[in-house]
């Protein structure tokens, strides 16, 4: 019951944060006197991503190939620093391994730096390739296990934006995550390494 309450609390927080950011985006877009989208210099973006992951190395009790499969939604709010770089705040990265005998839940928050090789914002259909590096705080909960593990999550991504409209992008991406859950005063620690593939939607404003 405590595990379910914790999960529901995190999901409710994520929904509320997404709602408030969405309102802010809509308000900013509807402000009078704003420049046409084709002429606008974008300063921020919000990303909604959904990936499928496979944990190829782990110590969390995922003992079958199917148990190592996860889905992972992620919400990121980014500041566009210049023509080629962006600094993102990962509001929530939630991973769930539903097919495990004891399902595993991961919640991660942190920062992500993204470098774009080119910025052809206004060209319909243009590809904008990028590479990213993130440092996150990761919290893992295992069903039917007491407590939780907290560790360092390194994330590396490679992908491309596809320009649908001046402020709208479809995102294709590959990712690699490495999480280490150290145990203070003990030689035993837990870890989770996974690869992922996914789609996303990116809105610039």
């Amino acid at each position: 019951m405590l595990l379910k309450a914790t999960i529901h609390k995190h999901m409710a927080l994520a929904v509320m944060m997404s709602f408030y950011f969405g309102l802010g985006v809509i308000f900013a877009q509807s402000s009078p006197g704003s420049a046409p989208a084709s002429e606008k210099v974008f300063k921020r973006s919000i990303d909604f991503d959904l990936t499928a992951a496979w944990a190829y190395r782990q110590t969390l009790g995922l003992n079958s190939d199917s148990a190592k499969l996860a889905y992972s939604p992620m919400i990121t709010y980014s500041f566009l620093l210049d023509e080629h770089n962006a600094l993102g705040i990962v509001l929530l990265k939630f991973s769930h391994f539903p097919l495990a005998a004891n399902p595993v839940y991961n919640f991660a928050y942190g920062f992500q730096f993204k470098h774009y090789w080119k910025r052809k914002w206004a060209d319909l259909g243009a590809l904008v390739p990028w590479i990213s590096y993130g440092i996150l705080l990761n919290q893992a909960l295992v069903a039917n296990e007491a407590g939780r593990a907290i560790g360092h999550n390194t994330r590396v991504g490679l992908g491309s934006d596809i320009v649908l409209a001046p402020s709208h992008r479809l995102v294709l991406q590959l990712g690699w995550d490495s999480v280490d859950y150290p145990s203070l005063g003990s030689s035993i620690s837990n870890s989770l390494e996974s690869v992922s593939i996914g789609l996303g939607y990116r809105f610039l404003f």
Side-chain angles (χ1 to χ4, degrees), residues 51-73:
T51 62
W54 185 66
Y56 63 90
R57 183 180 300 159
Q58 52 75 40
T59 60
L60 298 179
L62 306 174
N63 296 324
S64 67
D65 287 342
S66 61
K68 297 176 182 178
L69 295 172
Y71 65 90
S72 180

Side-chain angles (χ1 to χ4, degrees), residues 81-103:
L81 304 177
D82 55 34
E83 285 293 310
H84 295 282
N85 301 293
L87 179 62
I89 302 173
V90 179
L91 304 176
L92 174 67
K93 179 178 179 289
F94 169 70
S95 299
H96 181 209
F97 295 82
L99 301 179
N102 290 328

Side-chain angles (χ1 to χ4, degrees), residues 111-115 131-135 152 154-157 176:
F111 296 94
Q112 177 175 265
F113 177 79
K114 187 176 286 186
H115 174 75
I131 188 170
S132 66
Y133 176 79
I135 299 177
H152 173 269
T154 298
R155 176 172 176 79
V156 177
W176 173 77

Side-chain angles (χ1 to χ4, degrees), residues 13 17 20 22 39 41 44 58 65 74 76 81 89 92 110 123 147 164 173 176 178-179 193-194 196 204:
L13 179 61
M17 294 175 72
Y20 287 125
E39 301 176 6
V41 177
R44 294 176 296 278
Q58 52 75 40
D65 287 342
M74 183 168 74
T76 307
L81 304 177
I89 302 173
L92 174 67
D123 294 346
L164 303 178
Q173 58 188 292
W176 173 77
S178 177
V179 189
E193 295 183 23
S194 63
S196 61
L204 293 92

